């Protein structure tokens, strides 16, 4: 590759690299696959990554196992202000399309729970290293520690400025990711670049995130993990339910059910100071079944306290709080009546929990919002406003559910970019 030093800026030691077909800002999921896709078609490609290594965010996905995709891909698992865009992007790119791509680079996959798909090695590092190897084998120029400060279009090419070099390219791909997980490289750079090209931006908030609360008993409950059904009665009258484990913490509540419902909760918190959730702490049983079980464990001659009696049903740390809510502290089982049993069962099935915020982008797996997809061609991911400019992955106003859906969308963007 020829590196030429521009005479006007020779004194600053900034060099110009000439000339690429495609410059990609961001060496994450969509950027790496996009580079492979383009290089396979004979294009001269450079990837510019601000971190010291490629795929930093990828390494943390799926608790380090990399939940590549899901066997049950549907546009219903995605969210955007322009739902039609998702339908068109995903058309023809299901689980099998992603499976075929990874097979083509030598990565085998296995299926886990809930249709989640992982690399056979169960190591995210395998995915990153194979993607990087394939890029380099195809001649892709990968530059790490390369912070792009500004981008602009000059006639028929794009000029990218960093502190070290100026890069020129016929086409520009922005695959920077978005605001989630800043410690792994989450940035708003892509949104700033989009604004510089006069793209509309849909406002963002954290999603798939832990939620915070001021409930007075949090320290007492911290560490309690339990299966639950979580219900939100939303502002538009919809009843939203998510099932899975919940984990009480010092700051609030986490767990899979909470991550799954967090998008809707954060949407409510945009217009309200707090949001009320109902936690079903015994989702396997109806209230009537629970009352029947409780009654069957009451023995006439027993002198058990209610605390000891309830140890047969629920985590010890929850008992005093449930009894306090039922106004039944310091009672014996011999004194409890049907009305009071009904009250305890009602609290187990509808445990109120008030949310006042979240752990923010630092705790979020994804960020909502981004570049308005009404201004993006879903067949090629090209900007409708600027010829030769493309946006891939999380920088777009598309976010998916937990379970491999966000990575699936990123891979698909990489495979579709610039295809006619």
């Amino acid at each position: 590759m020829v590196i030429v030093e521009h005479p006007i800026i020779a004194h600053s030691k900034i060099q110009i690299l000439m000339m690429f077909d495609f410059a990609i800002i961001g060496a994450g999921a969509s950027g790496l696959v996009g580079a492979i896709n383009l290089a396979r078609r004979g294009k001269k490609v450079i990837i510019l990554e601000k971190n010291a290594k490629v795929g930093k965010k990828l390494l943390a996905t799926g608790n380090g196992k990399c939940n590549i995709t899901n066997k049950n891909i549907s546009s219903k698992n995605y969210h955007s202000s322009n739902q039609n865009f998702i339908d068109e992007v995903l058309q023809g790119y299901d689980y099998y399309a992603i499976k075929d791509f990874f097979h083509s680079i030598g990565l085998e996959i296995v299926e886990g729970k809930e249709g989640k798909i992982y690399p056979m090695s169960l190591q995210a590092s395998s995915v990153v290293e194979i993607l990087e190897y394939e890029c380099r084998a195809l001649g892709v120029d990968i530059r790490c520690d390369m912070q792009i400060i500004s981008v602009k279009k000059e006639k028929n090419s794009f000029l990218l400025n960093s502190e070290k070099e100026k890069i020129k390219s016929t086409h520009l791909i922005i695959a920077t990711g978005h605001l989630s997980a800043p410690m792994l490289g989450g940035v708003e750079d892509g949104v700033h670049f989009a604004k510089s090209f006069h793209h509309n931006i849909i406002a963002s908030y954290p999603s798939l995130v832990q939620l915070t609360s001021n409930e007075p008993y949090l320290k007492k409950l911290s560490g309690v993990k339990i299966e639950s059904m979580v219900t939100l009665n939303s502002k538009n009258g919809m009843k939203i339910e998510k099932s899975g484990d919940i984990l009480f913490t010092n700051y609030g509540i986490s767990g899979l059910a909470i991550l799954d419902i967090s998008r809707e909760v954060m949407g409510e918190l945009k217009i309200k100071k707090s949001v009320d959730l109902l936690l079903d702490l015994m989702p396997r049983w109806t209230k009537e079944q629970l009352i029947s079980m409780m009654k069957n464990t009451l023995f006439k001659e027993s002198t058990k306290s209610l605390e000891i009696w309830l140890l047969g049903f629920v985590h010890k740390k929850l008992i005093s709080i449930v009894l306090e809510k039922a106004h039944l502290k310091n009672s014996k089982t011999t004194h409890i009546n049907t009305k009071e049993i009904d009250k305890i069962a009602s609290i187990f099935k509808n445990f109120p929990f008030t949310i006042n915020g979240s752990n923010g982008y630092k705790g979020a797996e994804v960020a909502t919002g981004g570049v308005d997809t009404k201004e993006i061609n879903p067949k090629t991911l090209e900007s409708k406003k600027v010829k030769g400019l493309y946006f891939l992955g999380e920088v777009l106003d598309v976010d998916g559910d937990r379970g491999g859906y966000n990575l699936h969308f990123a891979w698909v963007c990489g495979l579709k970019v610039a295809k006619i």
Side-chain angles (χ1 to χ4, degrees), residues 385-412:
K385 300 177 79 98
V386 181
K387 187 173 176 57
L389 176 66
Y390 302 81
F391 293 92
L392 309 185
E394 197 182 353
V395 72
L396 291 165
D397 173 34
V398 177
D399 60 285
D401 294 338
R402 177 185 57 83
Y405 297 101
N406 287 290
L407 271 184
H408 182 93
F409 181 75
W411 310 131
V412 171

Side-chain angles (χ1 to χ4, degrees), residues 145-216:
D145 291 317
M146 183 72 85
Q147 174 74 58
I148 300 302
I149 299 166
S150 66
V151 296
K152 63 180 179 178
K153 190 167 187 184
E154 295 182 339
K155 295 183 180 179
N156 295 321
S157 64
F158 293 87
L159 181 65
L160 291 71
N161 295 298
S162 77
E163 291 180 353
K164 301 175 183 178
E165 297 166 326
K166 290 179 180 287
I167 296 96
K168 290 191 79 174
S169 181
T170 309
H171 305 84
L172 173 60
I173 296 174
I174 295 175
T176 54
H178 203 2
L179 286 166
S180 63
M183 61 289 188
L184 298 175
V187 292
E188 206 171 10
D189 293 3
V191 165
H192 292 317
F193 296 147
K195 285 180 179 177
S196 74
F197 288 111
H198 307 293
H199 271 273
N200 184 45
I201 304 299
I202 305 300
S204 173
Y205 55 84
S207 184
L208 298 183
V209 65
Q210 310 89 350
L211 301 175
T212 59
S213 175
N214 285 328
E215 294 287 6

Side-chain angles (χ1 to χ4, degrees), residues 354-378:
T354 301
I355 302 297
N356 62 7
S358 78
N359 272 355
Y361 292 112
K362 71 179 185 296
E365 292 184 22
V366 298
T368 69
V371 177
D372 191 344
T373 57
K374 291 186 179 73
E375 299 173 351
I376 306 297
N377 182 339

Side-chain angles (χ1 to χ4, degrees), residues 64-234:
K65 295 189 296 184
C66 195
N67 183 186
I68 290 173
T69 181
N70 197 290
K71 204 165 187 180
N72 308 303
I73 293 297
S74 166
S75 60
K76 293 177 182 178
N77 296 108
Y78 294 90
H79 315 279
S80 173
S81 58
N82 176 21
Q83 202 71 19
N84 289 338
F85 177 82
I86 300 169
D87 292 331
E88 292 188 63
V89 170
L90 293 179
Q91 189 172 8
Y93 288 83
D94 58 7
Y95 152 72
Y96 294 100
I98 303 307
K99 179 182 177 182
D100 289 346
F101 168 75
F102 279 107
H103 187 264
S104 78
I105 62 171
L107 190 101
E108 296 300 326
I109 59 177
V110 292
E111 185 176 350
K113 295 179 180 177
E114 301 176 318
K116 295 176 185 175
I117 304 298
Y118 298 92
M120 190 176 286
S121 67
L122 297 180
Q123 287 185 297
S125 58
S126 298
V127 180
V128 173
E129 288 180 32
I130 288 176
L131 286 171
E132 183 178 5
Y133 172 85
E134 191 69 15
C135 282
R136 293 192 186 279
L138 289 164
V140 175
D141 190 346
I142 299 177
R143 300 293 181 98
C144 293
D145 291 317
M146 183 72 85
Q147 174 74 58
I148 300 302
I149 299 166
S150 66
V151 296
K152 63 180 179 178
K153 190 167 187 184
E154 295 182 339
K155 295 183 180 179
N156 295 321
S157 64
F158 293 87
L159 181 65
L160 291 71
N161 295 298
S162 77
E163 291 180 353
K164 301 175 183 178
E165 297 166 326
K166 290 179 180 287
I167 296 96
K168 290 191 79 174
S169 181
T170 309
H171 305 84
L172 173 60
I173 296 174
I174 295 175
T176 54
H178 203 2
L179 286 166
S180 63
M183 61 289 188
L184 298 175
V187 292
E188 206 171 10
D189 293 3
V191 165
H192 292 317
F193 296 147
K195 285 180 179 177
S196 74
F197 288 111
H198 307 293
H199 271 273
N200 184 45
I201 304 299
I202 305 300
S204 173
Y205 55 84
S207 184
L208 298 183
V209 65
Q210 310 89 350
L211 301 175
T212 59
S213 175
N214 285 328
E215 294 287 6
Y217 47 76
L218 281 178
K219 286 185 179 178
K220 188 181 289 186
L221 280 186
S222 183
V224 173
K225 190 175 185 178
I226 188 171
E227 286 295 313
S228 179
M229 173 73 79
V230 182
T231 301
L232 167 67
N233 292 309
S234 70

Side-chain angles (χ1 to χ4, degrees), residues 285-352:
W285 297 276
T286 64
K287 181 182 173 183
E288 291 70 28
Q289 289 171 328
L290 189 54
I291 290 171
S292 178
M293 281 193 293
M294 287 176 157
K295 286 182 175 178
N296 287 340
T297 61
L298 292 172
F299 305 106
K300 289 181 181 179
E301 305 301 323
S302 174
T303 58
K304 283 181 183 177
S305 67
L306 293 185
E307 286 86 351
I308 294 296
W309 171 56
L310 287 174
L311 280 175
F313 298 97
V314 73
H315 195 289
K316 183 178 181 177
K317 288 184 178 181
L318 279 162
I319 292 172
S320 62
I321 295 158
V322 169
L323 291 177
E324 189 175 314
K325 287 182 179 294
H327 306 291
L328 289 171
K329 294 202 80 174
N330 304 316
S331 296
K332 300 281 186 182
T333 53
T334 47
H335 302 143
I336 196 168
N337 59 40
T338 299
K339 185 178 179 180
E340 291 166 338
I341 293 172
D342 184 278
K343 189 182 291 186
I344 292 172
S346 293
I347 294 168
F348 280 142
K349 296 296 289 181
N350 292 281
F351 189 90

